[in-house]
Amino acid sequence: MTTELRYRQLLAAVRGLVRCDAAALLRLLPDERLPVLQPVAVDGLSEETLGRRFLVEAHPRLARLLASSDGLRFPPDAGLPDPYDGLLEHQQELEAVHDCMGAPLRVEGRVWGLITLDAMDPQAFDAVDGTRLAALVRMLEAGIAAEETIVAMARRAQREQALARVARPGGPRELSGRSPAMVRLRQEIDTVAASDLTVLILGETGVGKELVAERLHARSIRSDRPLVQINCAALPETLADSELFGHKRGAFTGAVADRIGKFELADGGTLLLDEIGELPLPVQAKLLRVLQSGDVQRPGSDRVQKVDVRVLAATNRDLREEVARGRFRADLYHRLSVYPLRVPPLRERGRDVLTLAGGFLEENQHRLGARNLRLSPAASRALIAHDWPGNVRELEHLISRAALRALAEAGRGGRWVAIEPEHLGLVPMAANPSASPGPDKAPEMPCDPLRPAPVDAADLRDGPGAGAGNGAGNGADRTPVAGADEGLREATERFQRQWIEDALRRHGGAMAAAAREAAMDRSNFLRLAKRLGVKT
């Protein structure tokens, strides 16, 4: 049983004792410059809540609860913004919380965090007196203390088994998400982290490969040593030797001083070779020698230095295909892929998108000085339905744009700022009938060219091509029509496939030009084309 599940069981017991619409356990994060509360379990609140980090000084209710000795209940007319306004689960529209109470939780004499209870009924907590609240707090504190002991024992046993000596301190940066794909990934990371095996991190652009590397390092026996990163895509062949292995003064024109390379900097720790698939072939040969022997020789020096480095490599390329095409050395590939880890794309992570969106909203909320940025139910559905070709990075940028748009539209006076689907920009713009292109004019692209434009009802009645002017040469005769048994995903993919094929024909097979027309990154465009079976 996981820690999260045990915390949720505690909340279920709380809701069995006290009638409320929502309950949350928030942990006070240690070692933060400013006090921050992180939800570790929620019941009755939306999934995006788990992705948020509540800066205490920005939430006066949470600050007052932390400062209280035995907890308190806020009167309905308190006038303080509620951190959970608009975050209730299963709401059809954003709603405000009307009754709120909570208390600090202490474990071993220190403040561990908070329990918060919220209700829509202003009289919901009239029957909860100080004695009942104190009993509830004692039950939670006992459960949390037991869980802390279990976790500490498990961590100690894992570290002792890996090291056969005293555990070293060090905490990993968390990878958010509760989907089965992310649970499996974290389990795989924890399995291999304590070893010294070389790990190849595979995944599309924007999935978070760097976070995987950070967790691998943080849970390894090298966690108290440096994690050094180098972007192989930014390495010119002429400077790769210097960046990786360093150089001696006078080794080449411009070498005015000795330089330490990344392998020496990472000695005793971990080296992340990001975008390893972009490394030029001559540099691959030199890298292979170092990986095989552990010997580094700076250009211009006769001295060979032994380094102790664990190597992690990351790429968004299919290295086996690159090997088959002669663009990547087979021996280097096998040296790097001792333990491959695949990071799932966001489209395979289901409702994790809401947890991640909640975290990004909280960051934007503090950066913009906004009050309670919230996803409307319709916006949540739009995020879940999107296929996320740019993965988590695309989500982060999209949420930042949506927050700015929503704040500019709503201002700063309300209890919350609602993020609606139109702020996300995922809905295609409606077609303008007065701007219909002529036969010699290319059709104007919608906001997202790889999403089908709205279909006129007359087109559906009249059949294929009826609404397109029946013009030869304008692409109307190639417009795909959904079959009776075809679902939305199949219809969308068929439309995308047809659009990409037409774009490639328009540009004479030039992938970069077609990607520009689609307003997409070339690598993401190529990956989408391959997934759809388009021949490139």
Side-chain angles (χ1 to χ4, degrees):
M1 185 184 299
T2 65
T3 296
E4 180 187 353
L5 182 56
R6 281 188 278 261
Y7 285 151
R8 289 172 65 186
Q9 288 179 340
L10 285 175
L11 284 186
V14 168
R15 294 192 70 178
L17 295 173
V18 177
R19 183 175 64 87
C20 61
D21 293 306
L25 272 178
L26 300 101
R27 183 164 193 171
L28 188 64
L29 295 181
D31 304 326
E32 293 286 338
R33 186 169 53 87
L34 294 172
V36 174
L37 287 164
Q38 175 186 357
V40 294
V42 297
D43 195 344
L45 294 173
S46 66
E47 291 172 86
E48 67 165 289
T49 312
L50 286 170
R52 293 179 175 265
R53 304 292 183 272
F54 296 106
L55 186 64
V56 173
E57 66 177 16
H59 295 280
R61 291 197 185 217
L62 298 180
R64 288 187 58 184
L65 288 175
L66 273 178
S68 66
S69 57
D70 302 313
L72 53 89
R73 178 186 179 188
F74 294 95
D77 58 352
L80 298 174
D82 193 292
Y84 304 132
D85 280 343
L87 290 177
L88 293 177
E89 193 175 30
H90 304 313
Q91 55 188 353
Q92 298 305 309
E93 57 184 27
L94 298 180
E95 297 179 276
V97 173
H98 297 296
D99 205 355
C100 173
M101 70 184 306
L105 302 172
R106 296 177 175 84
V107 176
E108 296 181 353
R110 58 179 174 82
V111 176
W112 180 90
L114 290 178
I115 174 66
T116 60
L117 307 172
D118 292 273
M120 301 298 295
D121 180 2
Q123 286 80 45
F125 301 140
D126 287 350
V128 183
D129 56 15
T131 302
R132 192 172 178 186
L133 180 60
L136 184 148
V137 167
R138 286 196 298 272
M139 178 197 74
L140 287 171
E141 289 175 340
I144 291 169
E147 177 61 21
E148 295 260 295
T149 301
I150 292 171
V151 170
M153 291 175 64
R155 286 178 178 170
R156 189 179 304 118
Q158 182 184 34
R159 187 59 62 87
E160 287 176 352
Q161 182 180 9
L163 306 178
R165 51 189 171 88
V166 178
R168 295 179 179 179
R173 179 179 174 185
E174 290 302 321
L175 282 163
S176 300
R178 298 186 295 166
S179 62
M182 287 305 291
V183 171
R184 286 194 298 271
L185 176 62
R186 286 193 292 266
Q187 290 172 345
E188 287 285 334
I189 292 171
D190 295 345
T191 297
V192 72
S195 74
D196 249 355
L197 296 180
T198 303
V199 177
L200 179 61
I201 306 168
L202 304 166
E204 299 176 8
T205 299
V207 294
K209 297 186 288 292
E210 185 178 325
L211 287 181
V212 173
E214 290 176 0
R215 183 178 177 114
L216 281 166
H217 176 70
R219 301 205 168 193
S220 73
I221 61 175
R222 302 171 181 265
S223 58
D224 59 349
R225 303 293 296 170
L227 169 62
V228 177
Q229 305 181 38
I230 185 167
N231 185 355
C232 298
L235 276 182
E237 184 177 338
T238 54
L239 296 179
D241 278 2
S242 178
E243 287 293 324
L244 288 170
F245 314 124
H247 62 247
K248 291 291 289 182
R249 178 182 177 183
F252 52 85
T253 302
V256 297
D258 289 356
R259 177 185 177 89
I260 297 177
K262 293 297 190 292
F263 270 93
E264 288 185 63
L265 286 174
D267 192 19
T270 306
L271 177 64
L272 170 61
L273 300 171
D274 199 10
E275 303 294 350
I276 187 68
E278 312 298 327
L279 205 61
L281 278 169
V283 183
Q284 293 178 28
K286 298 173 184 177
L287 175 62
L288 178 64
R289 286 197 298 271
V290 176
L291 295 179
Q292 288 173 336
S293 65
D295 294 335
V296 171
Q297 185 174 5
R298 295 187 193 178
S301 172
D302 296 327
R303 188 169 70 91
V304 175
Q305 180 175 343
K306 180 74 74 173
V307 292
D308 174 24
V309 175
R310 185 195 192 172
V311 173
L312 311 177
T315 183
N316 59 9
R317 289 181 177 268
D318 183 344
L319 291 188
R320 283 178 295 186
E321 182 178 340
E322 296 295 296
V323 169
R325 294 186 177 186
R327 295 199 291 250
F328 201 86
R329 293 180 62 104
D331 45 7
L332 180 58
Y333 168 70
H334 292 297
R335 175 68 65 172
L336 293 173
S337 61
V338 177
Y339 201 106
L341 285 177
R342 177 182 175 271
V343 186
L346 189 52
R347 63 180 173 273
E348 295 179 5
R349 295 176 55 181
R351 300 180 71 87
D352 280 357
V353 65
L354 298 182
T355 301
L356 293 165
F360 294 141
L361 281 174
E362 195 70 21
E363 292 175 7
N364 281 277
Q365 183 171 298
H366 298 314
R367 182 165 58 245
L368 299 174
R371 173 181 290 185
N372 293 347
L373 289 173
R374 298 291 185 258
L375 288 172
S376 72
S380 296
R381 291 192 293 271
L383 291 180
I384 293 173
H386 189 51
D387 56 2
W388 301 110
N391 293 293
V392 180
R393 187 178 299 132
E394 179 189 355
L395 173 64
E396 179 181 8
H397 295 165
L398 181 141
I399 291 295
S400 298
R401 294 192 298 269
L404 278 173
R405 292 167 182 159
L407 186 60
E409 180 181 301
R412 302 176 184 271
R415 293 185 68 172
W416 60 70
V417 176
I419 307 291
E420 300 291 350
E422 55 265 28
H423 301 137
L424 299 173
L426 295 177
V427 180
M429 297 174 62
N432 183 356
S434 64
S436 179
D440 298 323
K441 181 180 178 182
E444 184 177 342
M445 298 309 300
C447 182
D448 184 346
L450 296 187
R451 289 184 173 277
V455 178
D456 190 271
D459 296 343
L460 296 179
R461 288 195 303 272
D462 298 338
N470 295 323
N474 64 357
D477 56 326
R478 293 195 307 271
T479 302
V481 178
D485 298 327
E486 189 174 35
L488 177 61
R489 177 178 292 276
E490 291 78 8
T492 300
E493 290 184 348
R494 183 168 44 75
F495 175 90
Q496 291 175 324
R497 187 181 302 109
Q498 184 68 64
W499 193 97
I500 292 173
E501 289 172 349
D502 290 345
L504 288 171
R505 277 192 290 268
R506 284 195 296 274
H507 295 285
M511 184 65 66
R516 279 195 298 272
E517 181 179 343
M520 289 180 66
D521 176 78
R522 182 182 180 279
S523 61
N524 288 337
F525 185 80
L526 177 60
R527 191 175 301 111
L528 177 61
K530 286 184 177 180
R531 181 169 67 83
L532 295 173
V534 177
K535 294 182 179 179
T536 57

